[in-house]
Amino acid sequence: MQYTLDGKINALKQISQRKLLNILDKIPGRKDFIVDVNLIKPLEHIIGVAKLRSSGVDKIYKLEKTPIPCTNTQRVFFIQGDLITVKHVCDKINSELTQQNDGNSYHLIIVFRKLGCAMKLLEEEGVYGCVQVYNFLWELISLENRVLSLEFQNFYKYLFVNGDQSYLPCVAKSIWTLQMIFGKPSTTLIQGKYSHLVDKMLDVYYEELGKPSSSESDISCFVIVDRDIDYASTLLTGGTYSSLLDEVFGIKSGYVEVKQPDKNEKPSTSGHYLNNADEIYSQIKNRHFSDVFPFLSSKTKELSAEYQKSQNMNIQEMKRYVSEELSLVAKKKMMLAYHIIACEAIISDMGQRFESLQTSERNMVAGRNHRDCVNYIEECLAMNTCSKYSILRLMSLLSITQDGIPSDEYQRLRMQFLHVHGYHNLPGFFYLEKSGLCIEQPGIIPEVRGAQIANKVVQAVSLPARRSTFGSFSQKLKLFPDINESYDLKNAKDLGFVFGGTYIPVVCQLVHILYKQEISHEDLMKIVPHLSIKYNRNVKTAKYLRTFVVYFIGGVTYAEICAFQLLEKLTGAKIIVASTSISNGNLLMKSYFN
């Protein structure tokens, strides 16, 4: 039986289910299942309540600070292995043990990886002897069509901020599973320090766990990249509906909560799953936001016309309508209302500042009007019109596009930020600088007063500036779209559409180049830093690369996902986007300042 590409993706869910059920089956009898709050939504993508009950799960609780009213003697904690969560579980177990609940048994299922520090903490807290510990690594989770994620939200912080490489084997294992399902690709591109480490681990897994049985592959090219290849795509504000929905509300595991006003003027929060079952979302997610309201308006008119038509039906037509169409119409009406409310909330949150924000971002990326960009950041700080994460994004974007911020401006912006948002944020600037995201340009120390005056004149007067590292790299990869009067955001023709024609995401352009074969692989390795290309001798190298898996280590944005889906539409290529998590600029900054 031949399985399609999308059919094989569905196998990932079945593998994750089987691995979890095998663990639960090792714990005989009825049991209470206590889940870390941050793991609930990803877990819902993997397994349903009915299957959990088939393996003896009786009651399901959230892991919270309040006491858990467990009804069974067996407790199964489903948690991440960070020390804070493990300590929380230890406290709950010790609390029960002090109440002389000797008949209870405790089990920990640690997601991603069971680390030695967590085991040591269990021992220090005196519960190691009464707890059975299991390790569970779920496979990549399918959030929507050809979009896969490990849903490891703190992965970027662990790796890029703290330098903790403990979880890289989880990435390598997820890639190993993918290639066991699809086959080893003929061509593999590896970019970045961590991607090369993962590739070495992958070779070890092939030796220890086995290789694909077939020499044929459904994938012609596998691309593994580090997130730091393109910080601009994370920092910029996306212009598509899905990007702005994530920007304003934050989409977690394909689930979004939108605040809805009610009659009593007390906003209520309504949750909604964003997937292929939502017909309206499927049609608007990749549209530029300026085109979303007109589309929703046309759909509203269609529903209204359909309602009017139903008023004039005879009895037989009405019976058929009620049995076959009414539920679908009601569902569409509900979805339409939800997205209209979401659009209104986005406009309320970003409407007044969106245009000026995009103008400032466009200037930064293009390397022009530096003084205006700095003034805009200072104005946002003075007027408090942006969140602290928005300010940090703008400072970081200015830094990476201009090879750092001039010393006097950097010191001034940082001081103003600390005055507004507090000095407890000071360590965050150290970590930003360490990552190269927001750095201070080395200052020029003039020996005479005249040199100081000349330096200020140079900063004040618009002179032809040297091209930054970012600008040179962008020119070589053609990351700046050709904008003219005919550029139409409602009819996307290039990948820069996702940022309103400002910028094309690096990895999307890289895949586009590979598809079109515009640049030889040798020249590509000269342009893109830390890039290497491997060829699989056991698989016939495809003359044309048409099927891709792109794996981001450190997170992928909705803007990049949209650009890949547009590339599929424009070229006919098949692209699977995979990542450790779905990210955005706010989450990136929170990794440094939380």
Side-chain angles (χ1 to χ4, degrees):
M1 182 178 179
Q2 290 292 323
Y3 290 94
T4 63
L5 197 65
D6 295 329
K8 289 188 176 182
I9 289 174
N10 293 334
L12 293 168
K13 178 179 179 179
Q14 298 173 26
I15 294 170
S16 296
Q17 275 187 12
R18 190 67 264 158
K19 287 162 71 173
L20 178 57
L21 293 175
N22 285 343
I23 293 173
L24 292 174
D25 289 341
K26 291 177 182 177
I27 309 168
R30 293 159 63 88
K31 40 199 166 276
D32 291 325
F33 197 56
I34 303 146
V35 187
D36 184 342
V37 175
N38 296 319
L39 300 179
I40 291 175
K41 293 304 174 190
L43 185 63
E44 287 176 353
H45 282 278
I46 294 171
I47 195 166
V49 174
K51 284 191 178 291
L52 288 173
R53 296 213 188 285
S54 70
S55 289
V57 172
D58 183 24
K59 301 288 185 181
I60 301 174
Y61 302 97
K62 292 180 182 179
L63 179 60
E64 297 176 320
K65 291 183 179 180
T66 55
I68 300 169
C70 294
T71 56
N72 293 285
T73 57
Q74 296 199 99
R75 317 274 201 268
V76 181
F77 293 89
F78 189 79
I79 63 170
Q80 290 191 66
D82 61 280
L83 296 181
I84 294 175
T85 305
V86 174
K87 177 67 166 67
H88 185 189
V89 172
C90 290
D91 291 342
K92 288 204 172 289
I93 293 173
N94 278 323
S95 175
E96 291 192 7
L97 290 175
T98 55
Q99 297 172 18
Q100 296 182 342
N101 291 327
D102 298 332
N104 294 339
S105 63
Y106 302 95
H107 306 266
L108 262 65
I109 300 177
I110 295 182
V111 179
F112 300 121
R113 197 174 180 199
K114 182 171 66 176
L115 299 177
C117 56
M119 298 300 100
K120 186 176 181 182
L121 180 60
L122 291 174
E123 190 174 348
E124 290 174 353
E125 292 295 317
V127 300
Y128 185 81
C130 58
V131 174
Q132 183 69 43
V133 183
Y134 306 89
N135 186 63
F136 172 61
L137 174 61
W138 57 45
E139 302 301 337
L140 287 159
I141 296 169
S142 179
L143 299 180
E144 58 179 271
N145 190 33
R146 295 178 190 164
V147 177
L148 308 174
S149 172
L150 267 183
E151 288 303 280
F152 192 162
Q153 297 304 326
N154 291 323
F155 186 90
Y156 178 88
K157 182 172 184 176
Y158 287 138
L159 185 60
F160 289 89
V161 181
N162 299 336
D164 182 359
Q165 300 177 14
S166 302
Y167 292 99
L168 280 179
C170 300
V171 177
K173 187 69 181 298
S174 68
I175 294 174
W176 176 83
T177 303
L178 272 183
Q179 296 193 359
M180 290 297 288
I181 293 172
F182 295 125
K184 291 188 74 173
S186 60
T187 306
T188 304
L189 272 75
I190 308 127
Q191 188 285 324
K193 177 175 69 174
Y194 300 122
S195 294
H196 281 91
L197 287 174
V198 165
D199 184 61
K200 291 179 180 178
M201 294 176 187
L202 193 56
D203 290 336
V204 174
Y205 281 132
Y206 280 131
E207 292 298 321
E208 294 180 351
L209 303 177
K211 300 177 182 179
S213 56
S214 175
S215 59
E216 296 182 358
S217 177
D218 297 309
I219 304 298
S220 53
C221 184
F222 206 109
V223 182
I224 311 172
V225 296
D226 286 4
R227 176 66 272 174
D228 59 9
I229 187 180
D230 183 20
Y231 277 130
S233 290
T234 312
L235 298 170
L236 285 166
T237 306
T240 62
Y241 177 65
S242 58
S243 295
L244 289 173
L245 202 59
D246 188 41
E247 179 85 20
V248 175
F249 301 108
I251 302 172
K252 299 177 180 177
S253 300
Y255 183 83
V256 65
E257 292 185 342
V258 176
K259 291 183 179 178
Q260 302 187 21
D262 60 16
K263 296 178 181 178
N264 300 322
E265 297 184 354
K266 294 180 180 179
S268 60
T269 302
S270 176
H272 185 72
Y273 281 100
L274 303 170
N275 50 37
N276 298 331
D278 185 343
E279 181 185 335
I280 300 297
Y281 178 71
S282 297
Q283 294 177 71
I284 64 175
K285 63 181 180 180
N286 292 338
R287 288 177 182 263
H288 193 269
F289 192 71
S290 61
D291 190 34
V292 173
F293 250 131
F295 176 84
L296 295 177
S297 178
S298 68
K299 286 294 180 182
T300 303
K301 291 176 182 177
E302 287 178 17
L303 279 180
S304 179
E306 194 165 342
Y307 174 76
Q308 291 296 329
K309 183 181 175 182
S310 68
Q311 300 301 301
N312 302 319
M313 291 179 179
N314 58 39
I315 293 178
Q316 291 300 322
E317 288 175 331
M318 183 62 73
K319 285 174 67 177
R320 183 193 60 79
Y321 178 76
V322 170
S323 63
E324 296 178 10
E325 298 180 33
L326 185 60
S327 60
L328 295 175
V329 171
K331 184 179 179 183
K332 186 182 289 188
K333 183 179 178 181
M334 183 183 67
M335 292 175 179
L336 197 57
Y338 191 90
H339 290 295
I340 289 172
I341 291 170
C343 284
E344 290 172 344
I346 290 170
I347 291 172
S348 175
D349 184 85
M350 299 197 68
Q352 295 182 353
R353 61 187 175 91
F354 185 68
E355 190 173 335
S356 58
L357 175 63
Q358 284 218 315
T359 300
S360 184
E361 289 178 346
R362 191 175 293 115
N363 286 335
M364 291 179 190
V365 170
R368 60 175 182 252
N369 300 335
H370 175 84
R371 184 66 255 166
D372 291 343
C373 296
V374 175
N375 287 342
Y376 178 75
I377 298 173
E378 290 183 318
E379 182 183 323
C380 290
L381 280 165
M383 303 296 291
N384 199 24
T385 54
C386 296
S387 69
K388 80 173 189 177
Y389 300 117
S390 296
I391 299 294
L392 292 165
R393 286 168 65 174
L394 287 169
M395 289 180 64
S396 298
L397 184 63
L398 182 64
S399 175
I400 65 170
T401 55
Q402 308 302 316
D403 293 336
I405 303 174
S407 182
D408 58 334
E409 292 175 347
Y410 175 83
Q411 295 292 343
R412 189 170 70 249
L413 288 172
R414 187 178 67 169
M415 186 63 67
Q416 290 175 11
F417 181 90
L418 294 173
H419 282 165
V420 173
H421 296 288
Y423 278 80
H424 63 279
N425 291 294
L426 189 57
F429 283 97
F430 166 77
Y431 289 115
L432 279 180
E433 187 171 351
K434 185 179 177 183
S435 297
L437 261 171
C438 188
I439 62 173
E440 179 182 359
Q441 284 181 2
I444 300 172
I445 306 175
E447 296 180 1
V448 293
R449 176 73 175 169
Q452 292 178 340
I453 296 172
N455 191 38
K456 290 183 178 180
V457 169
V458 168
Q459 293 182 20
V461 178
S462 296
L463 296 173
R466 68 174 181 84
R467 190 174 296 281
S468 65
T469 305
F470 172 85
S472 299
F473 177 70
S474 299
Q475 284 290 340
K476 290 175 182 176
L477 276 186
K478 300 178 182 178
L479 302 181
F480 299 136
D482 184 17
I483 302 296
N484 51 47
E485 293 181 359
S486 64
Y487 195 85
D488 187 6
L489 292 173
K490 296 181 181 180
N491 185 21
K493 295 287 182 64
D494 72 65
L495 307 182
F497 142 86
V498 297
F499 293 120
T502 297
Y503 177 76
I504 298 173
V506 172
V507 186
C508 303
Q509 184 73 332
L510 187 61
V511 172
H512 197 191
I513 289 170
L514 291 168
Y515 179 89
K516 294 194 296 183
Q517 297 184 326
E518 283 185 335
I519 304 174
S520 69
H521 291 180
E522 291 75 16
D523 290 339
L524 204 56
M525 286 190 283
K526 294 175 183 176
I527 296 172
V528 181
H530 312 298
L531 176 68
S532 62
I533 302 177
K534 292 170 59 177
Y535 303 100
N536 184 2
R537 296 178 182 177
N538 298 323
V539 177
K540 184 179 179 181
T541 303
K543 185 177 180 181
Y544 301 104
L545 301 178
R546 293 293 180 262
T547 310
F548 299 83
V549 173
V550 185
Y551 200 120
F552 288 81
I553 297 178
V556 65
T557 66
Y558 274 100
E560 288 167 315
I561 291 170
C562 175
F564 280 120
Q565 291 174 345
L566 176 60
L567 183 58
E568 281 188 311
K569 183 179 177 181
L570 294 174
T571 64
K574 293 181 180 179
I575 304 171
I576 298 171
V577 182
S579 180
T580 49
S581 66
I582 307 296
S583 186
N584 60 40
N586 294 332
L587 292 175
L588 185 77
M589 291 298 109
K590 285 179 182 178
S591 298
Y592 292 92
F593 286 83
N594 268 3

